[in-house]
Amino acid sequence: MMIITEESSNKVFGGWQKVFSHESKELGCKMKFGVYIPPQAETENVPVVYWLSGLTCTEQNFITKGNSQGPAAKHGFLVVAPDTSPRGCNIEGEEDDWDFGTGAGFYVDATEDKWKTHYRMYSYITKELPAVIAANFKVDHERAAIMGHSMGGHGALICALKNPGMYKSVSAFSPICNPINCPWGVKAFTGYLGEANKDAWREYDACELAKKYNGPPLEIFVDQGKADSFLEKGQLLPDNLVGACAEGGVPVVMRMQEGYDHSYYFMATYMADHFDQHAKFLKA
Amino acid sequence: MMIITEESSNKVFGGWQKVFSHESKELGCKMKFGVYIPPQAETENVPVVYWLSGLTCTEQNFITKGNSQGPAAKHGFLVVAPDTSPRGCNIEGEEDDWDFGTGAGFYVDATEDKWKTHYRMYSYITKELPAVIAANFKVDHERAAIMGHSMGGHGALICALKNPGMYKSVSAFSPICNPINCPWGVKAFTGYLGEANKDAWREYDACELAKKYNGPPLEIFVDQGKADSFLEKGQLLPDNLVGACAEGGVPVVMRMQEGYDHSYYFMATYMADHFDQHAKFLKA
């Protein structure tokens, strides 16, 4: 199951931005993911950083627009950027909405009958993909970090909080901090987890998980644009994360950035800061 | 004719990446162009850098994937990124080829009947667009530079060589250095300028122009990937530019970069170097 196929390869900042495909066992379909291989990986096992993208994205958005390869080369991080959902599984309705189904896996393991066979992005990100990476690249998974944007910021936060010690560092841009209390999250969790099973919802909510976090020290680093239209629409709820982290004793740096929106322009601006943040923990 | 309409605006690296549209008189159609406004433009007239894109591009490719805003903010350059051809002019066949017509204006003023009304990219870039920019932004056109990629590298070179003193600095990634001697150039010049009029061809060929350059000192700075598939196909001909520059006494820095291809990954890697190069002349 660890066989991967190279789809593209481009030299950038002295390393290689590649895209691979593989047959995912968790998701029951062919998946693509980006891998930036820094120059340092030619001679040593390097730390690995997972990037989780937001709604509607494929593996391409981050690798073309994220301004990530320069900072990754500087620190010598291998950066893995998976797709955001299963694709082409022929589930009725999977293509109907931009914020549910294809492009919107929400990093949960679905329990509803219609979705539970394929929509297992949580297990894909935390189990299958790390095994695939470990089998194929010169990485040191003892030094792993995770980060993401919007839906992927939510994904990064829950992966880190649910697996104490697995990721040494976590950061996010404009994360959906409290999905059980915002329209995007309620729609997704209702669809994938069922309306009734609120216990399952809470197990995928960063605020709920932060309140009860019990593990090695974990610092959460977040950039949030103050001109982000989804902030005013109540989809992101960063204040709730700050409050939950206080309750759970989890340190959080929440940087509210004047004038910035929800786009990759915002992320490109501060991407280097996030890699510097991860370096504090991955190169300690 | 100087009225522009803002199509989008995103804060990035402390400044603003905007896209505008306007009715171009030279081209007889609506055109879009990107403008990066650096933070420095809030308080002073800043130098202006023109970016010319390659085949098939719109104004979007460079502004989303070029890694330009960070370097532009560092130096305080306003960066203008126009589209690569007229659009929607209803010329028979304009959409047939990816390397001729739409997305492939080649930065010439066409003389063939079918194209001469709209395909006037040379005059658009060197006359109309600078006037539009001067009328709408806080720039100092005494400090202007021009750069581009592939077809746009050709465009940047000919604009600088044909207008001594107008651009203080010129650079290119993977430029089509000698269009009269490569398949892309021969096809475009045959179509836009006519097969017989070889004198006109030479007036849009960087090598021919470099040989007879007579003006203030102009240094040409070029990055060319050695793994660029169009290099081996004989579309780019950098050696011919080096030879022509020697003949004309024009200094050229031709950096052949091991392993890099023709993509934006290559450009993102070295974009900061090009802005540093322009800064030597624009901030002197």
Side-chain angles (χ1 to χ4, degrees), chain A residues 18 36 38 41 51 64 82-83 89 91 95 102 106 119 128 135 142 150 161 174 183 193 207 239 261 279:
Chain A
K18 295 175 183 275
Y36 179 68
W51 169 271
T64 56
D83 202 349
C89 295
I91 302 168
E95 305 288 347
T102 299
F106 258 88
Y119 276 69
E128 185 177 14
E142 293 298 307
S150 196
L161 290 164
S174 332
L193 305 172
C207 289
D239 292 348
D261 61 21

Side-chain angles (χ1 to χ4, degrees), chain B residues 88-207:
Chain B
C89 294
N90 296 314
I91 302 169
E92 185 210 339
E94 68 185 344
E95 305 288 347
D96 290 357
D97 295 349
W98 65 273
D99 55 1
F100 187 76
T102 299
F106 259 88
Y107 305 104
V108 304
D109 287 350
T111 53
E112 291 293 280
D113 278 348
K114 189 171 165 185
W115 305 98
K116 69 182 184 188
T117 305
H118 294 290
Y119 277 68
R120 296 179 52 74
M121 285 297 289
Y122 175 70
S123 288
Y124 178 69
I125 297 298
T126 57
K127 298 190 188 87
E128 185 177 14
L129 191 56
V132 168
I133 296 299
N136 286 283
F137 301 94
K138 286 176 69 68
V139 292
D140 171 13
H141 261 104
E142 294 298 307
R143 293 180 292 158
I146 192 162
M147 62 195 299
H149 172 232
S150 195
M151 175 182 76
H154 142 76
L157 292 170
I158 63 165
C159 288
L161 290 164
K162 286 167 75 72
N163 297 279
M166 182 168 164
Y167 306 97
K168 297 287 181 287
S169 179
V170 59
S171 79
F173 291 93
S174 334
I176 300 172
C177 292
N178 193 190
I180 66 175
N181 286 317
C182 79
W184 277 337
V186 169
K187 177 174 178 177
F189 287 10
T190 300
Y192 295 132
L193 305 172
E195 189 170 2
N197 193 359
K198 293 299 195 306
D199 285 344
W201 289 35
R202 283 187 284 272
E203 287 300 311
Y204 290 115
D205 183 279
C207 289

Side-chain angles (χ1 to χ4, degrees), chain B residues 174-256:
Chain B
S174 334
I176 300 172
C177 292
N178 193 190
I180 66 175
N181 286 317
C182 79
W184 277 337
V186 169
K187 177 174 178 177
F189 287 10
T190 300
Y192 295 132
L193 305 172
E195 189 170 2
N197 193 359
K198 293 299 195 306
D199 285 344
W201 289 35
R202 283 187 284 272
E203 287 300 311
Y204 290 115
D205 183 279
C207 289
E208 295 299 317
L209 294 166
K211 287 178 195 169
K212 64 174 189 178
Y213 180 75
N214 184 12
L218 180 72
E219 185 177 309
I220 295 174
F221 185 80
V222 178
D223 271 318
Q224 172 61 56
K226 290 173 81 169
D228 183 332
S229 62
F230 300 114
L231 177 64
E232 57 187 75
K233 286 178 186 144
Q235 297 282 21
L236 307 175
L237 304 172
D239 292 347
N240 295 8
L241 182 65
V242 171
C245 285
E247 193 176 328
V250 177
V252 60
V253 175
M254 176 67 67
R255 307 197 305 184
M256 300 300 292

